[in-house]
Amino acid sequence: MPLFAPLRMPFKRRLQTLAVLTWISAIIVSLTLFFFLCTYKYLWPLVIAYLTWVLMFDKAPERGGRRVQWLRNRRLWRHFAEYYPMTLIKEGDLDPSKNYIFGYHPHGIISMGAFCTFGTEGLNFSKRFPGIKPRLMTLQTNFNIPFYRDYILAHGCASVSRQSCEYNLRSGPGNSIVIVVGGAQESLASKPGTLDLTLKKRLGFIKLALVTGASLVPTLAFGENDLYEIFNNNRTSKTYRFQQLVKNTFGFTLPMFNGRGIFQYEYGLLPRRKPVFIVIGKPIHVEKVEGSPTSEQLHELQKQYIDAVLAVWERYKDKYAVGRTQELRIIE
């Protein structure tokens, strides 16, 4: 592959790159705009009013976000999906009279497939699963970033806190949530050609399903880990220990990774153009438990869920993970 992108490139590919750049740069653009506005003293009253509303009064992150459907439907997100390209594989219908917890695997570096599938209509989720209204759950810290918070709220994102999850699942038929189960820890294992999942210790979403009676839907993204190269991180290295410190302090961490640039292919923050296949598996129906679930109930349902994830892998690995360097592993 050449180092630099050709000068003569189909306009459609330029649009695809622009769509991905729009999402990748959203935090930087939001912060830049906020601090730029802060340089004008006559705007300070508006800035103070905005921050007061955000910090003290706005409950949208705990109440399912503020979905703006026309933003989710923008043609921009079709270009986003075509960049890789991404493909949605549906294993079965979902009853719109029920509620669902989609477990998305793996986390990857930035969970591109999760946002495209559940935060936009780039893959026509609403047409493929009519009546299902997913909320992509993310860390509360994302809702402390001025303007960026409003951007992701408009795409249906919400806080991944227990109260927020329960509120969404109890807000009526079809209301569902999406949890990237492996979280920040799993992002540190996002090596191309591999699928190492952090799942053994993850019981919070299992308990949530038992308490609310929501069905679990295993969702496996083949190719998510191939979008970036990640530098090897020995668990005894100082870098790894620093990443763990950041994760334990702030709830997130940032792997050392490399993608591509806008006009060249070797270095940068943009993901590489690698196909991603998002398989939404068949639902695991869960009986609601009155009171607090027992340890036996939690581990029994967790085993059922892990078996379902492994079954999805076995059905599709020879089709969508042909270049894998190892089999799926549940490492933590």
Side-chain angles (χ1 to χ4, degrees), residues 33 104 175 189 264 292:
L33 177 60
Y104 184 88
N175 282 290
Q264 49 79 31
S292 182

Side-chain angles (χ1 to χ4, degrees), residues 70 123 144 160 173 179 185 227 232 279 307 331:
W70 71 265
L123 294 175
N144 296 331
V160 76
I179 299 177
Q185 186 63 36
L227 302 181
N232 285 331
V279 179
D307 288 344
I331 58 175

Side-chain angles (χ1 to χ4, degrees), residues 33-232:
L33 177 60
F34 176 76
F35 287 117
F36 174 75
L37 295 177
C38 288
T39 63
Y40 293 92
K41 289 186 178 181
Y42 63 85
L43 292 178
W44 286 2
L46 290 177
V47 171
I48 292 172
Y50 172 75
L51 292 177
T52 301
W53 173 69
V54 165
L55 297 175
M56 299 182 64
F57 299 105
D58 187 22
K59 304 300 181 185
E62 298 286 332
R63 296 291 183 269
R66 280 191 290 269
R67 289 166 64 107
V68 179
Q69 199 58 37
W70 71 265
L71 280 176
R72 290 170 54 89
N73 288 337
R74 289 170 65 196
R75 177 61 190 170
L76 176 78
W77 303 124
R78 307 289 194 280
H79 293 308
F80 184 98
E82 292 165 357
Y83 171 91
Y84 303 90
M86 288 184 177
T87 305
L88 178 62
I89 295 94
K90 170 183 173 181
E91 285 207 319
D93 293 327
L94 297 181
D95 185 351
S97 68
K98 297 180 180 294
N99 305 102
Y100 299 91
I101 299 174
F102 294 85
Y104 184 88
H105 314 273
H107 184 285
I109 300 297
I110 315 179
S111 301
M112 294 295 191
F115 177 73
C116 186
T117 305
F118 302 104
T120 78
E121 290 298 329
L123 294 175
N124 295 312
F125 180 90
S126 295
K127 292 181 180 179
R128 302 289 299 277
F129 297 95
I132 306 300
K133 299 178 283 293
R135 265 76 175 180
L136 179 58
M137 315 307 278
T138 186
L139 294 174
Q140 178 62 36
T141 51
N142 286 314
F143 300 103
N144 296 331
I145 303 173
F147 301 151
Y148 176 72
R149 68 185 305 278
D150 304 292
Y151 185 66
I152 60 176
L153 284 170
H155 286 87
C157 295
S159 171
V160 76
S161 70
R162 179 181 60 81
Q163 295 86 350
S164 173
C165 291
E166 290 185 2
Y167 177 88
N168 283 283
L169 292 172
R170 290 170 173 162
S171 295
N175 282 290
S176 305
I177 64 173
V178 184
I179 299 177
V180 184
V181 178
Q185 186 63 36
E186 191 173 86
S187 69
L188 297 176
S190 304
K191 298 177 183 178
T194 71
L195 197 56
D196 290 341
L197 303 185
T198 300
L199 193 50
K200 292 178 183 178
K201 299 179 181 179
R202 298 297 198 254
L203 290 172
F205 77 108
I206 299 293
K207 182 176 181 179
L208 188 64
L210 288 167
V211 168
T212 62
S215 299
L216 291 169
V217 184
T219 304
L220 201 58
F222 293 81
E224 179 78 53
N225 282 350
D226 297 332
L227 302 181
Y228 290 95
E229 293 179 359
I230 185 171
F231 297 101
N232 285 331

